[in-house]
Amino acid sequence: MKAYLSVSGLLIAIALTSCSPSNLSQRKDISTNPLTQLKTTVINRAKVVSGQLIYVPIYSHIYHNNSPDRGLNLSATLSIRNTDLNNSIAIASVRYYDTKGKLVRQYISQPVELQPLASTEVFIETDDVAGGAGANFIVEWTAEKKVYAPVVEAIMISTASAQGISFTSTGRVLKQYNSSHF
């Protein structure tokens, strides 16, 4: 009986700890993001042959029922996919901005390498509304060889109540880099 109570108490303590506010803030910790798990690299600007600065719209929430007072929170996944069959690319920066254009967070402190045909992502939780309806990512990548441009897009989703909504947002190139830009 004592062993049963000890195990039950332990399970309850684990359940309560996993729901604590401090643990919720850890879920948003960018160090657990797959992007930060990639191998770091050095960008030699003299050797850069190609690259881009890409804008990706993100929606932390959208409005519905004919009212701007009725928002539906969305989770968002930024996806970066290296489409080159043979060459890696360097992801130089991934920055998240809010509706007013203010930097909310920067997801990497130094460039990371994305292997051929590999992909990575950044996840924005449903309850993270820091970006607002007009949030966006700015993604910068480079390569030391001529490569196929990566696919950079976002997927927003909500499954609140009995309804589900999902849609994608495609990245738009703001700057095209070649060796003369560096």
Side-chain angles (χ1 to χ4, degrees):
M1 181 72 165
K2 284 185 179 183
Y4 173 76
L5 290 175
S6 296
V7 171
S8 297
L10 180 62
L11 291 175
I12 291 170
I14 290 170
L16 291 174
T17 303
S18 67
C19 295
S20 70
S22 63
N23 196 19
L24 289 175
S25 65
Q26 288 175 350
R27 286 189 344 207
K28 294 180 186 176
D29 182 1
I30 61 175
S31 66
T32 60
N33 200 298
L35 180 64
T36 61
Q37 305 303 312
L38 297 174
K39 180 178 137 185
T40 60
T41 190
V42 175
I43 296 174
N44 182 342
R45 299 286 181 184
K47 292 184 178 182
V48 169
V49 172
S50 59
Q52 295 174 323
L53 189 68
I54 302 173
Y55 173 92
V56 187
I58 298 291
Y59 302 86
S60 292
H61 64 273
I62 56 174
Y63 304 108
H64 64 99
N65 285 350
N66 298 324
S67 174
D69 297 331
R70 300 207 45 178
L72 177 64
N73 289 354
L74 304 169
S75 64
T77 303
L78 172 74
S79 177
I80 305 169
R81 298 168 179 261
N82 184 356
T83 63
D84 199 274
L85 295 168
N86 302 307
N87 300 296
S88 296
I89 62 171
I91 301 172
S93 66
V94 177
R95 299 182 309 266
Y96 185 52
Y97 292 87
D98 69 10
T99 300
K100 296 179 181 178
K102 179 183 171 201
L103 181 64
V104 175
R105 63 186 76 93
Q106 191 161 306
Y107 281 88
I108 54 175
S109 59
Q110 55 188 334
V112 293
E113 181 180 358
L114 191 58
Q115 295 287 322
L117 296 178
S119 62
T120 191
E121 66 274 341
V122 172
F123 181 70
I124 306 293
E125 295 179 2
T126 304
D127 62 349
D128 181 353
V129 295
N136 63 81
F137 277 100
I138 299 291
V139 176
E140 182 179 19
W141 70 271
T142 64
E144 293 184 359
K145 296 181 178 181
K146 189 172 182 175
V147 297
Y148 290 103
V151 172
V152 182
E153 61 188 354
I155 298 90
M156 277 68 58
I157 186 168
S158 175
T159 54
S161 302
Q163 294 187 348
I165 182 173
S166 65
F167 56 96
T168 61
S169 178
T170 304
R172 290 160 175 79
V173 176
L174 299 177
K175 287 184 185 176
Q176 187 78 36
Y177 299 149
N178 57 39
S179 56
S180 66
H181 278 87
F182 294 99

